[in-house]
Amino acid sequence: MSIPTNPKIEQKQTQVVWKRSRKAKNIELNDEMVKVYVWELPVRIFHWINAFSIIVLMITGVFIGRPFVSASIQEEAYYSFLMGWARYIHFFVAFLFTINLAVRWYWVYKGNEHATSNPFRFSFWKEAFETIKYYLFMKNNKKHYIGHNPLAQLSYWIFIGLGSIIMMFTGYYLLFEPQPESIYGKMFMWVAHLFGGDSYSVRSWHHLVAWGFIIFTVVHVYMAFREDYLQRNGTMSSIFTGYKIERKKEALGEHDEK
Amino acid sequence: MKRKTILEEVLDRGFTRRDFLKMCTALAATMGLDFSQTDQVVAAMEKNQRVPVIWLQFQDCTGCSESFIRSTHPKVESVLLNMISLEYSEALSAASGHQIEAALEHVLEHYPGEYILAVEGSLPTDDAFLTVGGVSAKETFLRAAKGAKAIIAYGSCSSWGGIPAAYPNPTKAKPITHFVKDKPVILVPGCPPIAEVMTGVIAHIITFGKLPELDHLGRPKAFYRHRIHDKCNRRAYFDAGLFAESFDDEGARQGYCLYKVGCKGPTTYNSCAEMRWNGGVSYPIQSGNPCIGCSEKGFWDNGPFFVRRAKIPASQTTINPETVGAIAVGVTAAGVAAHAMVTAMKKKDEHHD
Ligand code: HEM
Ligand code: HEM
Ligand code: SF4
Ligand code: SF4
């Protein structure tokens, strides 16, 4: 038994490709290998601010929902501000998270071919399906991807795309709901109607989707290590340095659509 | 026959003008008006006639009526006798039987577009569950709603569905807004609503001749603008991180925040923390009981009273998000571990090939 990655199939090129103008930069190492600049600096900065903020939001968020420690000075309220700080940190990091995500959206248009994704193409879903078969150890036609594979892209769409939007809208609603007359309050009033109408439903959404993020993180970190272990192409270091080591014909071939 | 104004009505009952002015001042305060606006209240009461009110009860417990008669500012006698003329009420009218039904017909016929319809309780979508004297609840309601100047939904049942609509909702109960779309409806939720809020809404309509300003869910802003949590007398303890862990611990004795014994104050909009109950004596949280969120939509289905939970979207089921979340993460981690093992095994095989 072996991992079903047929070298012949690996030669086949993915259909999920992008404009030539947005091609990632390559540095030739030798006749066979190239260093591909996959993740540009803004993507890497985004990645680590995003990972950091999600972890902080999760810890402070769960504390807000279920305070697992109490203030140590069991006296008058005056001496402590534990929940207050948890909430302030949650809100501050929430703003960071939002700005960070906005920059990343801008980079979808500005960045290289690996900074974007198009789920509106048939090949995206076909190749995502092949990738699922690959991860289930089934016979498959998965291609080799230099950037994210379509399944990874799909997980980013669901969690970082949709999940973040749900967290931001419900979060800002919860933040501003006590001031419905303020401009911010008015901006987010409609959110309630989308998420069940009442404050409790909105809060429930916020709390449940938060756990979705934890599950994503577990799977995602595992996948990153696994990819690195199997491909030995520097997936792990790529998210720090930006570079992956790839076979030349794959790195260049992705764009040879004759 | 010319109808008397409210002032005339008051004087006729042996009160002095001074009593009348006091009543108006109390009313203005109840409605959340500025003291300087008392003039407007006085002018309105001098000029306006009493407003006929029809009070219908459907799938309810009469708790709202009970709360209503405990109004202290203004005293319910003065509301009932002076400001409104309660033409029809199953609980409060002295008359009964054909006599009271005739009174109802009289209002529908003679005061179209003038009377206020107050509704207590939700309506079943299946008539089999509530038909009185061969007339279904829906029909009774729609007939009365047709000529109403405005409809007031008193209580959580008529506003959101309330207890009858709680899971499994055997009667398929719906709030009254489900049945009437072309009339202004003011939601005055609460289980029951605070008495002064109930009278305050009527007083507002009489004083200004129009509906009070409503929020995005149709509740009067004057009374439902604030969240319990933001006006709570225990809020300082919340921010400090000092919580009662059970009802008989030191924290409970010290008056710490009730969040961990299930307080729903952070998701509840009502006037309890400002107006308080029973003439401003106290309210649940002040007395040591967490808010159960009685004025919120679907509050019976928002989990047990003394536990905080999360609701599964579009359902009437709640779960403990931390327990379920931790299990889901555990299952995921187990799946990841299994996947990693298979991967490692296959990789080893590959080397042997
Ligand atoms: C991935 C990102 C996020 C995670 C994992 C997260 C997690 C949580 C959790 C678990 C809660 C407790 C909910 C409960 O009480 O049942 C919470 C509360 C809250 N979150 Fe977030 N959150 C995130 C993003 C945001 C964002 C972007 C905002 C926007 C400002 C926000 C604002 C809030 C607010 C206002 C509360 C309620 C705090 C209170 O009322 O005391 N969150 N969050
Ligand atoms: C030890 C922690 C982590 C490591 C080693 C890691 C590693 C990586 C790697 C290698 C990639 C690119 C691989 C690919 O998609 O094919 C990546 C992408 C990504 N990761 Fe992580 N990650 C970590 C934590 C997180 C966390 C906590 C989150 C958020 C919950 C996250 C969100 C993302 C996103 C959104 C991308 C796509 C980046 C983009 O295209 O902008 N990562 N990560
Ligand atoms: S007792 Fe309830 S409403 Fe008051 S601060 Fe605590 S959680 Fe908020
Ligand atoms: S404190 Fe909460 S549960 Fe109690 S009456 Fe007010 S809104 Fe209802």
Side-chain angles (χ1 to χ4, degrees):
Chain A
M1 227 167 44
S2 70
I3 292 206
T5 45
N6 184 336
K8 253 188 273 147
I9 290 169
E10 263 186 39
Q11 308 276 329
K12 273 203 210 150
Q13 295 310 325
T14 168
Q15 297 299 301
V16 186
V17 290
W18 287 88
K19 292 195 298 270
R20 243 167 247 266
S21 60
R22 298 176 65 169
K23 211 170 146 22
K25 283 200 221 76
N26 296 311
I27 301 171
E28 284 198 34
L29 293 176
N30 53 39
D31 284 350
E32 233 190 292
M33 305 303 276
V34 287
K35 250 172 101 173
V36 187
Y37 190 41
V38 187
W39 317 121
E40 295 152 293
L41 188 62
V43 173
R44 283 175 281 148
I45 294 177
F46 159 77
H47 181 267
W48 290 112
I49 293 183
N50 189 47
F52 164 82
S53 36
I54 286 173
I55 288 165
V56 175
L57 284 167
M58 191 66 211
I59 295 168
T60 52
V62 169
F63 180 78
I64 294 167
R66 196 163 305 264
F68 40 81
V69 286
S70 289
S72 52
I73 307 175
Q74 299 279 324
E75 269 298 329
E76 289 315 312
Y78 168 79
Y79 300 101
S80 317
F81 196 57
L82 192 60
M83 179 59 89
W85 279 115
R87 293 177 72 242
Y88 279 160
I89 294 169
H90 194 83
F91 306 152
F92 178 80
V93 176
F95 295 134
L96 183 69
F97 175 81
T98 309
I99 294 165
N100 191 44
L101 213 63
V103 172
R104 183 62 180 81
W105 273 107
Y106 169 69
W107 208 251
V108 166
Y109 298 101
K110 198 70 190 144
N112 71 16
E113 53 183 328
H114 302 299
T116 180
S117 163
N118 184 353
F120 295 109
R121 291 177 57 161
F122 177 66
S123 54
F124 176 93
W125 294 97
K126 206 175 93 197
E127 294 185 23
F129 184 62
E130 291 302 325
T131 313
I132 292 175
K133 289 204 290 194
Y134 162 75
Y135 281 120
L136 292 178
F137 307 108
M138 283 155 59
K139 258 178 100 76
N140 65 79
N141 259 324
K142 178 182 172 287
K143 280 116 190 149
H144 177 72
Y145 299 93
I146 292 170
H148 315 291
N149 69 52
L151 188 62
Q153 290 178 21
L154 189 61
S155 77
Y156 304 143
W157 275 117
I158 294 173
F159 289 96
I160 307 300
L162 186 64
S164 300
I165 287 171
I166 294 176
M167 287 319 266
M168 287 189 300
F169 281 124
T170 55
Y172 285 112
Y173 173 83
L174 291 176
L175 182 58
F176 297 122
E177 66 171 344
Q179 305 109 37
E181 301 295 311
S182 71
I183 168 156
Y184 296 112
K186 288 199 178 106
M187 255 163 71
F188 292 98
M189 231 39 204
W190 58 271
V191 173
H193 296 297
L194 209 59
F195 293 97
D198 59 319
S199 179
Y200 184 79
S201 300
V202 177
R203 221 181 155 102
S204 297
W205 269 96
H206 195 78
H207 205 139
L208 294 174
V209 176
W211 280 96
F213 273 85
I214 292 281
I215 290 168
F216 166 81
T217 307
V218 171
V219 175
H220 169 78
V221 174
Y222 165 66
M223 289 299 197
F225 277 102
R226 181 182 189 273
E227 183 75 3
D228 188 73
Y229 168 67
L230 289 181
Q231 306 287 346
R232 301 265 179 237
N233 64 349
T235 298
M236 282 310 288
S237 58
S238 75
I239 200 67
F240 297 95
T241 63
Y243 289 97
K244 279 192 189 177
I245 315 284
E246 296 290 347
R247 288 205 191 88
K248 197 169 178 179
K249 47 180 186 287
E250 278 162 1
L252 303 176
E254 262 191 20
H255 296 274
D256 282 350
E257 319 155 67
K258 275 162 214 136
Chain B
M1 186 189 80
K2 191 185 164 294
R3 280 149 68 204
K4 287 184 195 156
T5 66
I6 295 168
L7 170 64
E8 285 165 350
E9 201 77 45
V10 172
L11 298 179
D12 272 6
R13 281 170 208 275
F15 291 104
T16 61
R17 185 172 165 82
R18 189 179 165 76
D19 292 328
F20 169 75
L21 291 178
K22 275 189 189 162
M23 183 187 109
C24 292
T25 314
L27 250 182
T30 304
M31 286 190 281
L33 300 179
D34 199 75
F35 179 69
S36 63
Q37 284 174 290
T38 308
D39 289 359
Q40 267 173 284
V41 180
V42 173
M45 298 298 159
E46 279 173 342
K47 181 168 95 251
N48 295 347
Q49 289 148 353
R50 295 197 304 164
V51 175
V53 172
I54 295 176
W55 185 305
L56 295 179
Q57 289 180 243
F58 297 111
Q59 301 193 123
D60 69 327
C61 71
T62 317
C64 297
S65 301
E66 286 287 343
S67 180
F68 187 71
I69 59 174
R70 280 162 184 75
S71 180
T72 36
H73 307 286
K75 274 249 188 304
V76 73
E77 307 85 277
S78 64
V79 180
L80 283 181
L81 303 177
N82 305 329
M83 280 163 36
I84 65 170
S85 64
L86 189 57
E87 299 288 341
Y88 181 92
S89 154
E90 283 162 20
L92 303 173
S93 295
S96 64
H98 292 297
Q99 222 180 344
I100 186 73
E101 295 303 324
L104 174 63
E105 293 306 320
H106 181 80
V107 177
L108 297 189
E109 209 170 296
H110 291 91
Y111 302 109
E114 276 183 63
Y115 64 90
I116 291 174
L117 173 62
V119 181
E120 186 179 349
S122 62
L123 291 165
T125 36
D126 181 348
D127 291 339
F129 289 101
L130 187 57
T131 295
V132 179
V135 184
S136 74
K138 207 187 312 175
E139 210 179 315
T140 309
F141 169 66
L142 290 177
R143 222 164 83 77
K146 206 161 145 247
K149 172 187 173 133
I151 304 174
I152 305 180
Y154 276 140
S156 290
C157 297
S158 53
S159 299
W160 314 124
I163 304 178
Y167 182 81
N169 193 356
T171 67
K172 303 276 169 295
K174 294 271 189 213
I176 62 166
T177 43
H178 177 80
F179 300 92
V180 57
K181 305 280 177 208
D182 54 347
K183 286 278 164 191
V185 181
I186 308 167
L187 304 188
V188 185
C191 195
I194 303 173
E196 285 77 12
V197 170
M198 299 176 82
T199 45
V201 172
I202 292 191
H204 190 284
I205 298 176
I206 295 172
T207 309
F208 296 104
K210 58 175 194 221
L211 306 193
E213 207 188 334
L214 304 180
D215 69 6
H216 64 299
L217 296 177
R219 303 169 295 191
K221 279 186 183 171
F223 304 113
Y224 293 90
R225 178 175 45 203
H226 297 300
R227 193 165 59 153
I228 303 287
H229 189 53
D230 295 316
K231 293 275 170 183
C232 177
N233 58 311
R234 297 182 188 238
R235 179 58 187 265
Y237 290 108
F238 175 85
D239 289 331
L242 291 168
F243 305 98
E245 306 278 342
S246 72
F247 287 107
D248 54 2
D249 69 354
E250 186 55 26
R253 269 187 288 278
Q254 292 285 335
Y256 288 176
C257 166
L258 302 170
Y259 194 57
K260 289 178 87 170
V261 284
C263 186
K264 309 279 194 308
T267 48
T268 304
Y269 287 79
N270 206 342
S271 296
C272 306
E274 303 131 272
M275 302 185 58
R276 316 212 168 185
W277 283 81
N278 301 322
V281 173
S282 179
Y283 74 114
I285 293 171
Q286 187 179 347
S287 311
N289 196 75
C291 170
I292 59 173
C294 76
S295 55
E296 285 293 307
K297 192 171 137 191
F299 87 101
W300 289 102
D301 297 319
N302 287 353
F305 287 166
F306 304 130
V307 192
R308 289 181 53 80
R309 291 221 180 149
K311 193 181 206 160
I312 296 175
S315 78
Q316 290 179 309
T317 311
T318 57
I319 53 168
N320 178 332
E322 268 64 57
T323 313
V324 174
I327 291 171
V329 170
V331 170
T332 310
V336 160
H339 198 271
M341 265 160 62
V342 177
T343 306
M345 265 157 51
K346 294 211 165 186
K347 177 106 175 167
K348 229 164 103 199
D349 285 352
E350 206 176 50
H351 284 301
H352 290 301
D353 282 351

